[in-house]
Amino acid sequence: MTVAAMWEARAATGRGAELAAWVRESVLLAVRGAAGLERVELLSAPGERVLLITWWSGEPVPVADPPAGLLGRPVHRWSFTSDHVE
C-alpha cells in the first residue's frame, strides 16, 4: 500500500522564499533516506504557500512544523492511500 502524505503551509507575508528554503534545508534532509520513502515533491503556489507531498510504502515519517515566524497560519496535513495509478 502506498501512502501519500501532504504537508501544506502558508508563509507569513513576504517570507515564502524563506519557508521553501527551510523545507529544502530541513525537511528534505530529515526524510531523505527514511525507510519506505518512495518519492518527494516540493511545490509552491500563489499566496506564499508551500506544499510537500511524500509517497511512502508504509507509515509516513512526520514532517516538523517550521519556525513560527515563517508561518502565516498553522500547517495543514493530510494522508491519502493510493487507489488507482495509470
Side-chain angles (χ1 to χ4, degrees), residues 47-62:
E48 299 191 277
R49 290 178 292 145
V50 176
L51 175 65
L52 179 70
I53 306 172
T54 53
W55 285 263
W56 302 85
S57 57
E59 193 63 30
V61 169

Side-chain angles (χ1 to χ4, degrees), residues 9-74:
R10 188 177 75 219
T13 302
R15 302 197 71 185
E18 287 177 78
L19 178 60
W22 179 85
V23 172
R24 282 190 302 277
E25 295 164 8
S26 298
V27 175
L28 295 183
L29 288 176
V31 299
R32 192 171 284 130
L37 180 66
E38 295 180 0
R39 180 176 164 195
V40 176
E41 192 165 349
L42 178 61
L43 303 108
S44 59
E48 299 191 277
R49 290 178 292 145
V50 176
L51 175 65
L52 179 70
I53 306 172
T54 53
W55 285 263
W56 302 85
S57 57
E59 193 63 30
V61 169
V63 174
D65 282 346
L70 290 178
L71 292 176
R73 63 154 166 74

